[in-house]
């Protein structure tokens, strides 16, 4: 398999040069975001240029192995290999093999596997027969660790079937380069999965927040940093009798008191620019056409860098409170006026009684003989 | 949402009193609408204290804040000379 990266003519076997091989590999890397698809394509590209068999296996948290990819020109042999893998998975007790490579992080080269070794290691006649059918008697192995930044993910296995040219140390560089590329694929795949999981968690979190907001008894809504509202809770629509299409962005102006909407807009715009919370009392028109007063509070949500990512607003119905407050003021004033009038009337009554008494006294005097 | 306490054209002093109290407590929209509805139904031009008392008595039968304002206006009408027997 000695492939010189600077070789420009075909290798003696008639297959790809190393440069062609890595060119095809590059295309495979960008053909899909699915890790297994890319690794399978890598395995297929390496056959037969790098060997008759190529397998890529990853170690799980429990120490067992998952076969991520396997390639061989004969699908029937691939099926037999899969059956072997399922029935007789790699054992940590084996002197070499996957466990050893992952544990040590070192490549393993086996120049020749004698048939006697297969006989000694086979579990049953079917096992032995299958190993021979796969061409492993007299085969040569290369097992390369797939190493990430902090750990060994698994191993890349290349097999040249019995009868072919055996691997030697000069074959290691290209095979190890394949192993490094496989590590990048796996690592990127994990990062992609983590990002997808984080995105899913964030979306779930947002759904939870929206569901909570939707059930608040107050009117509530949220907006991105630019203040164009993109979510109203159910209570908002119940009260205003509007639809999202009517209210989205800055459509809320339509349910505001025309005499105050400009002031509300100016103060909200100022909050968006300054990042300061907003608080104001103003009326909103209900579905019945009547206005009720609301206390509106809007607060920003910031990211770790302090940038506003969202605004959260609530409108609390204070119409009855305002009416009660006004009524109390009116009644207080009326009580004062009533008390003052009572005093006036009492004085008038006293004066009237005094005049009556004086008239009676005069009447008595006139009657006296 | 509340109007300034100045008489509108053709408003009597009793109309001014009623309008002020209605709009201060109930808001301009509801206050003015209720005032117009009741006066129209009663064919009442609020020319006298008795007219004010008649208006206030109907308002006082309504629930919550509307009834409370009606009660206040009844007292106001009495203080300004209304005689309940005549209204």
């Amino acid at each position: 398999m000695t492939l010189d990266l600077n070789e420009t003519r075909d290798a003696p076997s008639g297959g790809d040069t190393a440069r062609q091989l890595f060119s095809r590999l590059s295309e495979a890397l960008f053909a899909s975001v699915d890790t297994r698809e890319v690794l399978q394509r890598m395995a297929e590209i390496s056959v037969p240029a790098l060997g008759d068999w190529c397998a890529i296996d990853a170690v799980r948290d429990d120490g067992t192995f998952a076969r991520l990819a396997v390639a061989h020109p004969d699908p029937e042999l691939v099926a037999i290999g899969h059956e072997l893998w399922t029935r007789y998975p790699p054992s940590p007790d084996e002197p070499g093999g996957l466990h050893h490579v992952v544990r040590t992080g070192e490549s393993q080269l086996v120049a020749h596997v004698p048939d006697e070794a297969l006989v000694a290691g086979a579990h049953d006649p079917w096992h032995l027969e299958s190993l021979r059918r796969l061409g492993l008697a007299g085969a040569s192995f290369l097992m390369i660790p797939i190493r990430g930044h902090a750990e060994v993910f698994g191993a890349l296995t290349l097999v040249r079937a019995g009868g072919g040219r055996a691997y030697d140390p000069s074959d290691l560089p290209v095979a190890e380069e394949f192993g490094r590329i496989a590590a990048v694929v796996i690592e990127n795949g994990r990062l992609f999965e983590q990002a997808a999981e984080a995105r899913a968690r964030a979306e779930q979190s947002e759904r939870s927040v929206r569901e909570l907001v939707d059930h608040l008894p107050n009117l509530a809504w949220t907006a991105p940093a630019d203040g164009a509202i993109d979510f109203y809770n159910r209570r908002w629509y119940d009260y205003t009798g509007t639809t999202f299409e009517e209210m989205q962005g800055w459509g809320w102006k339509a349910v505001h008191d025309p005499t105050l909407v400009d002031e509300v807009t100016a103060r909200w715009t100022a909050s968006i620019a300054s990042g300061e919370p907003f608080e104001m009392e103003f009326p909103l028109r209900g579905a019945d056409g009547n206005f009720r007063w609301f206390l509106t509070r809007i607060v920003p949500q910031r990211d770790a860098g302090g940038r506003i990512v969202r605004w959260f607003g609530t409108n609390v119905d204070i119409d009855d409170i305002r009416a009660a407050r006004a009524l109390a003021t009116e009644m207080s004033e009326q009580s004062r006026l009533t008390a003052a009038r009572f005093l006036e009337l009492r004085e008038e009554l006293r004066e009237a009684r005094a005049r009556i008494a004086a008239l009676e006294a005069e009447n008595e005097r006139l009657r006296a003989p | 949402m509340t109007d300034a306490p100045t008489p509108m054209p053709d408003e009597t002093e009793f109309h001014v009193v009623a309008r002020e109290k209605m709009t201060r407590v109930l808001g301009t929209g509801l206050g003015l609408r209720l005032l117009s509805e009741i006066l129209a139904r009663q064919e009442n031009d609020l020319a006298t204290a008795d007219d004010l008392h008649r208006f206030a008595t109907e308002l006082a039968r309504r629930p919550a804040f509307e009834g409370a304002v009606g009660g206040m206006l009844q007292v106001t009408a009495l203080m300004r000379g209304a005689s309940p027997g005549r209204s």
Side-chain angles (χ1 to χ4, degrees), chain A residues 257 290 320 326 330 334, chain B residues 1 21 24 33 65 72 76:
Chain A
D257 178 358
N290 293 323
D320 287 350
E330 292 293 319
Q334 187 164 68
Chain B
M1 287 285 286
K21 292 204 185 303
R24 279 186 196 149
R33 190 171 71 249
F65 294 115
M72 276 199 310
T76 302

Side-chain angles (χ1 to χ4, degrees), chain A residues 160-189:
Chain A
R160 185 145 285 165
R165 186 184 70 77
Y167 291 118
D168 63 51
S170 67
D171 296 314
L172 280 172
V174 173
E176 287 175 344
E177 186 61 26
F178 251 66
R180 277 189 285 275
I181 294 171
V184 169
V185 170
I186 293 173
E187 215 155 29
N188 284 348

Side-chain angles (χ1 to χ4, degrees), chain A residues 108-126:
Chain A
Q108 185 178 27
L109 188 158
V110 176
H112 179 78
V113 178
D115 188 69
E116 291 78 14
L118 297 186
V119 172
H123 291 275
D124 53 56
W126 177 86

Side-chain angles (χ1 to χ4, degrees), chain A residues 257 259-260 283 290-291 293 320-324 326-327 330-331 334 337-338 341, chain B residues 1 20-21 24-27 29-30 33 65 68-69 71-76 79:
Chain A
D257 178 358
T259 64
L260 289 174
N290 293 323
F291 282 88
W293 280 81
D320 287 350
I321 293 173
R322 284 178 66 101
L327 186 64
E330 292 293 319
M331 292 179 77
Q334 187 164 68
L337 293 173
T338 304
R341 183 67 184 135
Chain B
M1 287 285 286
E20 282 179 23
K21 292 204 185 303
R24 279 186 196 149
V25 178
L26 304 178
L30 179 60
R33 190 171 71 249
F65 294 115
V69 174
M72 276 199 310
L73 288 173
Q74 280 181 316
V75 174
T76 302
M79 288 175 62

